[in-house]
Amino acid sequence: MLIKKPSDIRPSEITSEANYMNRRTFIRAGSIAGASILAAPAMAAVVPDQPRAKLQGVIESEFSTDETPTSYEDVTGYNNFYEFGTGKEDPARYAQEFDARPWSITVDGHAEKTGTFHFEDFIKPFDLEERIYRMRCVEAWSMVIPWVGISLADIVKHYQPTSKAKYVAFETLHDPVRMPGQRRRVLDWPYREGLTIAEATNPLAILAVGVYGETLPNQNGAPIRLVVPWKYGFKGIKSIVRMSFVEKQPDVSWRMAAANEYGFYANVNPEVDHPRWSQASERAIGAGLFAPRKPTLMFNGYGEQVAHLYDGLDLRKNF
Ligand code: MTE
């Protein structure tokens, strides 16, 4: 994502007017999906293993933005997922063969409950919620995405981290046969990310298992990925196989690749420029070529919910 300079952006990466027009169709599809959303709390999360299967028993979240979601086509066609190539259209093209089942997730480190769990068992104790979030990529583009996910705070509490656990570290599957992009050393595999315990237990953080009311497409990180809407998109690690409760700040992929460009915190901050571009504004994907850029908001507009997590921290040094 970061290796590209603006001059490298291919015309195919620029959203066409046709996409913009198509968006209306997807908004309609979205409101049909919305009809299956129930008000009552779900009993146990169940996620079918087929692609594009409707998710049942999804609760609406109080944290959703009322902004219009980006089209399904853009959300699932313009992606970063280096395990399937470095171009924006590569994941949609090359992740189709990927089979996200069977899947298991290992929980380890400083917690009362640890172990390796089948994906189905891992998600079962929790509610599924639709969270329509504003998302901001470090590359200065943004989307509004109707995720379906599970509160990460609920998941963390379930495993009962001990007082030694200061951070939660995540890892993506490392399997160059199933993820052919890992045959190239564009990153030090597996992809890694991490949050402080306070960040992981903030009500906004979720592990997503769906989008647009349906199971998560492979290119978006099937079967389960992190979503942290006040941070740059690269924190949203996809296809998670490990969640570790650790004492020390974990190594995270983009910081390992270029520590001067990508910090551990990665909070959306219009006041701190990326070394190669300004962070002050963003291009809304799908808004059309001539749409004006939007000003980027501190913490991506979620300051009321998360600014307190960083009290006393110099956000220029801790970028
Ligand atoms: N997770 C893994 N495993 N590999 C990746 O290359 N890219 C990150 C993040 N998660 C990435 C990843 C980046 S740079 C972004 S912007 C988001 O995924 C994009 O998520 P989306 O394609 O679902 O919008």
Side-chain angles (χ1 to χ4, degrees):
M1 67 175 173
L2 327 152
I3 336 183
K4 286 196 173 182
K5 298 180 283 302
S7 57
D8 297 334
I9 296 173
R10 288 175 287 133
S12 60
E13 287 180 21
I14 296 166
T15 310
S16 66
E17 281 303 307
N19 278 357
Y20 176 71
M21 293 313 288
N22 274 345
R23 180 169 139 172
R24 291 155 187 267
T25 322
F26 288 109
I27 292 166
R28 265 207 310 279
S31 53
I32 293 162
S36 67
I37 291 170
L38 305 176
M43 295 305 289
V46 177
V47 174
D49 57 9
Q50 308 91 319
R52 297 213 64 177
K54 276 265 168 295
L55 293 168
Q56 304 294 332
V58 179
I59 305 166
E60 276 183 72
S61 167
E62 58 183 307
F63 296 113
S64 288
T65 169
D66 55 9
E67 287 165 74
T68 306
T70 305
S71 72
Y72 183 87
E73 188 182 57
D74 283 330
V75 168
T76 62
Y78 189 91
N79 301 102
N80 274 325
F81 199 173
Y82 276 26
E83 284 83 342
F84 295 101
T86 53
K88 300 288 180 249
E89 290 155 18
D90 289 346
R93 194 174 306 144
Y94 300 119
Q96 294 317 312
E97 302 291 297
F98 180 70
D99 187 358
R101 295 296 192 290
W103 196 264
S104 57
I105 297 159
T106 298
V107 180
D108 58 10
H110 301 295
E112 298 297 341
K113 285 194 218 168
T114 54
T116 296
F117 307 90
H118 288 299
F119 168 71
E120 289 74 15
D121 298 328
F122 181 82
I123 60 166
K124 205 184 284 170
F126 308 105
D127 288 338
L128 290 183
E129 278 184 39
E130 184 179 69
R131 302 275 189 110
I132 307 172
Y133 280 157
R134 221 173 293 135
M135 305 297 297
R136 169 62 157 81
C137 180
V138 74
E139 295 159 303
W141 45 265
S142 62
M143 295 198 196
V144 175
I145 304 186
W147 300 109
V148 177
I150 296 165
S151 151
L152 180 59
D154 288 353
I155 295 176
V156 167
K157 282 175 204 149
H158 180 84
Y159 290 97
Q160 301 169 26
T162 67
S163 57
K164 267 196 157 174
K166 305 282 187 261
Y167 297 87
V168 189
F170 299 92
E171 268 179 34
T172 295
L173 176 71
H174 189 193
D175 184 341
V177 174
R178 292 167 76 190
M179 295 184 152
Q182 290 177 339
R183 292 177 209 157
R184 292 171 57 206
R185 288 195 55 87
V186 282
L187 285 173
D188 188 354
W189 310 111
Y191 196 98
R192 281 162 256 208
E193 259 309 335
L195 297 172
T196 65
I197 286 279
E199 291 173 332
T201 52
N202 181 276
L204 285 182
I206 58 169
L207 291 188
V209 295
V211 73
Y212 266 96
E214 299 175 345
T215 47
L216 207 58
N218 291 338
Q219 60 267 34
N220 293 89
I224 188 162
R225 56 88 56 85
L226 179 65
V227 174
V228 201
W230 72 94
K231 293 179 182 280
Y232 293 114
F234 67 87
K235 293 300 277 186
I237 179 170
K238 298 178 173 183
S239 305
I240 295 169
V241 292
R242 183 183 295 273
M243 184 171 105
S244 309
F245 294 100
V246 296
E247 200 172 354
K248 301 223 163 67
Q249 195 180 92
D251 285 338
V252 291
S253 286
W254 284 106
R255 186 166 187 221
M256 289 162 73
N260 60 324
E261 301 195 6
Y262 309 103
F264 175 79
Y265 285 94
N267 290 320
V268 175
N269 189 342
E271 289 159 22
V272 175
D273 286 348
H274 180 277
R276 290 186 276 135
W277 54 78
S278 158
Q279 294 287 13
S281 69
E282 62 202 50
R283 176 172 69 94
I285 299 292
L289 260 187
F290 305 108
R293 293 175 72 86
K294 295 200 301 189
T296 287
L297 302 174
M298 189 69 195
F299 298 116
N300 201 25
Y302 294 100
E304 207 177 301
Q305 289 87 358
V306 301
H308 68 275
L309 298 174
Y310 309 102
D311 281 348
L313 199 70
D314 181 341
L315 295 177
R316 284 189 171 269
K317 278 196 197 132
N318 297 281
F319 59 95

